[in-house]
Amino acid sequence: MKKRKFKEGDMVRVKVFNECPEHWNQAGRMNHLMGKIVRINKIYATSLPYKIYDEENEVEWWMKEEDVEPVSETIVIYRNDR
């Protein structure tokens, strides 16, 4: 399998497009994912390698590597006295 930029379990942000990509659901059911952070559930050796679960529509979608971008995960902890 081709080396992928992301792996299963990675959190990624779906890029924002002016119009939905050709390989997306043409009825617009995926458009609400633009700009949202999603988890990659599975990786396949296809042209649409990344499977994500869409909780709003209760369906799985496949995305290309150029549809998503990395998200840096930072945890900040504040104390009450500081």
Side-chain angles (χ1 to χ4, degrees):
M1 181 162 65
K2 176 184 169 188
K3 175 83 169 130
R4 299 290 179 190
K5 188 174 183 178
F6 304 106
K7 59 186 185 298
E8 288 181 22
D10 281 356
M11 300 298 287
V12 294
R13 183 181 320 278
V14 179
K15 291 181 181 175
V16 177
F17 300 96
N18 290 330
E19 54 185 68
C20 77
E22 187 176 299
H23 59 278
W24 281 27
N25 176 274
Q26 292 302 305
R29 291 183 58 210
M30 294 174 73
N31 292 358
H32 72 280
L33 295 171
M34 287 190 221
K36 298 231 173 116
I37 296 174
V38 297
R39 180 183 311 277
I40 295 174
N41 292 333
K42 190 79 175 160
I43 297 177
Y44 294 92
T46 66
S47 62
L48 295 168
Y50 300 123
K51 181 177 85 169
I52 59 125
Y53 181 71
D54 174 3
E55 292 180 10
E56 184 173 313
N57 289 307
E58 297 181 342
V59 68
E60 295 172 328
W61 300 113
W62 288 264
M63 297 194 163
K64 290 185 175 183
E65 195 156 290
E66 55 267 16
D67 293 339
V68 295
E69 57 192 6
V71 174
S72 65
E73 296 181 41
T74 303
I75 298 173
V76 178
I77 300 173
Y78 292 97
R79 292 178 51 168
N80 287 338
D81 57 347
R82 290 187 180 208

